[in-house]
Amino acid sequence: MFHFLASLISWGTVLYWLYFSFIHKSFLENVFAGKALMVDLLLGLPVVLVFAIVIYAFLYWSIKLLVILLFPHTIIHINTNLDEESDDFLDAAEMEHPKKSDDLSHKV
C-alpha cells in the first residue's frame, strides 16, 4: 500500500510538472505555431522530460527515506536466511532427480 501511495504522489507531481511545462507555459502552442526556436526543441524539450524523471525519483525516494527515518517500526523485516532455504530446496530437487554424473564420465 505504501509503495502505491508513494508512486501515486510522485506520478501526480510529474503530471503537474508536464502540465505546467507544456500547457501553462504554452510550449506546445509555440511549437505548433512555429514560434519555438530550434534551441527550444533541442534543449528545452529534453530538459523538460528529463526533469520529470528527476522529480519522480526525488519525491519517491524522499518519501521512502522519511518513512524509514520517522516510522522505522512500520517496516516489515523479511527473513534473509536464503542460504538454508536454497540448500533445502536443492536437496529435495536432488532426491527427486539424482545426478547422472556416472553416465557422463564413461562417455568421455
Side-chain angles (χ1 to χ4, degrees), residues 88-105:
D88 294 340
F89 176 74
L90 290 175
D91 291 340
E94 286 178 0
M95 286 182 167
E96 289 181 19
H97 305 287
K99 292 181 181 179
K100 297 183 180 180
S101 60
D102 296 333
D103 295 338
L104 295 175
S105 62

Side-chain angles (χ1 to χ4, degrees), residues 80-95:
T80 58
N81 295 332
L82 296 177
D83 293 335
E84 294 173 7
E85 293 175 8
S86 63
D87 288 342
D88 294 340
F89 176 74
L90 290 175
D91 291 340
E94 286 178 0
M95 286 182 167

Side-chain angles (χ1 to χ4, degrees), residues 15-29:
L15 291 176
Y16 178 75
W17 164 252
L18 292 174
Y19 165 79
F20 177 78
S21 300
F22 288 119
I23 298 181
H24 185 69
K25 290 295 182 179
S26 304
F27 183 78
L28 289 178
E29 290 177 19

